[in-house]
């Protein structure tokens, strides 16, 4: 667990550092344009920090720095996490199946977490971020890639060498949920983390979970924009309330079928790998 705590501390340290640096840069630009007296006030500093673009750039830069940290200090290995998986039979099919799998699971888990009605203290922040290109890039690409390399590749990957697979998956998912801190996200992130953790465990690579996580966050960005412009929060709500039980049943069936197919592929890959090592 020392490794996990150490990595999480670096994760937050880089976020704080680069958000501060971007904010300082923005204030410097404001000072050069408007003069010192008109810029350096408490309200100006607070507004600079709360700009969606500032937060997004901070997330992007800190994410890139944390990725460098993980690879440079050998917490994860590119050949092991990516190249080895791509050489496996049906690896492309696995990545393709991750799309319907995570989408259906994501919708079902959303139904569960929405029923809890937990406070979403960061809703306005994420909505603002989803309205600019830097925010979209940070939410839909940089954050998913970093979080999968960190929570699945570096943390779960290490825990898998120390304990039973499901214990490693649950612990990494719990840490993943807790670092989100926003009550509305904690439970959902924990549950999704279990699914992503299973994908990582079975595939031995962060690629399937990255594809799933990018899709999850991309759909979240789109639905946030839909909620603001059309008053609906999901694509499924466009079908009407009466259709929801049928949609849930269909999605549950799709999720189970894809899960079974993925299990068979992972078993075939494992058998081929074991036979090639004989």
């Amino acid at each position: 667990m020392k490794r996990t705590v150490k990595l999480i501390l670096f994760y937050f340290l880089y976020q704080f550092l680069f958000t501060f640096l971007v904010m300082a840069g923005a204030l410097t630009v404001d000072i050069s344009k408007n003069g010192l007296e008109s810029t350096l006030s408490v309200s100006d500093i607070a507004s600079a920090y709360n700009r969606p673009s500032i937060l997004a750039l901070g997330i992007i830069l800190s994410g890139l720095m944390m990725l460098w940290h993980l690879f440079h200090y050998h917490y994860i290995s590119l050949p092991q996490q990516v190249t080895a998986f791509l050489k496996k039979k049906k690896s492309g099919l696995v990545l393709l199946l991750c799309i319907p799998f995570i989408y259906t699971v994501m919708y079902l888990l959303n139904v569960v977490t929405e029923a809890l009605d937990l406070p979403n203290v960061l809703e306005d922040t994420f909505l603002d971020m989803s309205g600019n290109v830097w925010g979209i890039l940070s939410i839909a690409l940089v954050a998913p890639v970093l979080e999968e390399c960190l929570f699945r590749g570096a943390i779960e990957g290490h825990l898998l060498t120390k304990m039973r697979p499901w214990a490693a998956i649950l612990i990494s998912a719990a840490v993943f949920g807790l670092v989100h801190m926003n009550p509305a996200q904690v439970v959902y992130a924990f549950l999704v983390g279990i699914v992503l953790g299973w994908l990582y465990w079975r595939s031995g690579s962060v690629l399937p979970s990255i594809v799933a996580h990018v899709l999850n966050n991309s759909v979240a960005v789109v639905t946030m924009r839909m909620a603001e412009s059309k008053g609906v929060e999901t694509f499924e709500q466009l079908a009407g309330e009466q259709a929801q039980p049928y949609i849930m049943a269909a999605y549950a069936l799709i999720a189970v079928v894809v899960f079974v197919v993925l299990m068979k592929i992972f078993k075939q890959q494992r058998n081929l790998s074991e036979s090639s090592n004989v």
Side-chain angles (χ1 to χ4, degrees), residues 71 74-88 153 157-158 161 200 203-207:
F71 283 104
H74 307 292
Y75 287 104
I76 54 176
S77 165
L78 193 63
Q80 181 182 4
Q81 294 289 341
V82 178
T83 309
F85 171 77
L86 292 176
K87 290 181 179 179
K88 293 180 180 180
H158 178 70
T161 66
Y200 174 77
S203 67
S205 169
V206 294
L207 276 183

Side-chain angles (χ1 to χ4, degrees), residues 85-95 265 268-269:
F85 171 77
L86 292 176
K87 290 181 179 179
K88 293 180 180 180
K89 186 178 181 181
K90 297 183 179 179
S91 60
L93 179 59
V94 169
L95 296 179
I265 294 175
Q268 291 173 359
Q269 290 178 339

Side-chain angles (χ1 to χ4, degrees), residues 181-199:
M181 293 185 287
N182 183 17
Q185 290 180 282
V186 169
V187 176
Y188 178 78
F190 168 66
L191 295 175
V192 169
I194 294 174
V195 178
L196 298 174
W198 176 81
L199 282 172

Side-chain angles (χ1 to χ4, degrees), residues 1 12 17 31 50 55 71 106 109 136 140 154 164 167 180 208 231 235 250 257 261 272:
M1 291 300 292
F12 283 117
L17 175 62
I31 291 172
N50 288 324
L55 181 57
F71 283 104
M106 178 182 67
L109 293 181
I136 294 172
R164 294 180 180 273
H180 283 78
F235 298 107
V257 170
V261 174
L272 288 172

Side-chain angles (χ1 to χ4, degrees), residues 36-52:
L36 183 63
E37 294 79 7
S38 62
T39 303
L40 287 181
S41 67
V42 174
S43 60
D44 288 329
I45 293 174
S47 63
Y49 182 81
N50 288 324
R51 292 177 193 168

Side-chain angles (χ1 to χ4, degrees), residues 153-226:
I155 294 178
E156 182 183 328
H158 178 70
L159 293 175
L160 285 169
T161 66
K162 303 294 183 181
M163 57 187 66
R164 294 180 180 273
W166 283 108
I169 291 171
L170 288 173
I171 291 174
S172 62
V175 175
F176 177 58
L178 290 172
V179 298
H180 283 78
M181 293 185 287
N182 183 17
Q185 290 180 282
V186 169
V187 176
Y188 178 78
F190 168 66
L191 295 175
V192 169
I194 294 174
V195 178
L196 298 174
W198 176 81
L199 282 172
Y200 174 77
W201 168 47
R202 285 303 188 184
S203 67
S205 169
V206 294
L207 276 183
S209 59
I210 284 177
V211 169
H213 201 153
V214 167
L215 177 65
N216 176 83
N217 285 25
S218 298
V219 171
V221 169
V222 173
T223 54
M224 277 189 288
R225 303 316 304 174
M226 287 175 59

Side-chain angles (χ1 to χ4, degrees), residues 88-109:
K88 293 180 180 180
K89 186 178 181 181
K90 297 183 179 179
S91 60
L93 179 59
V94 169
L95 296 179
L96 186 63
L97 288 173
C98 284
I99 296 174
F101 182 59
I102 198 63
Y103 185 85
T104 52
V105 169
M106 178 182 67
Y107 175 75
L108 295 171
L109 293 181

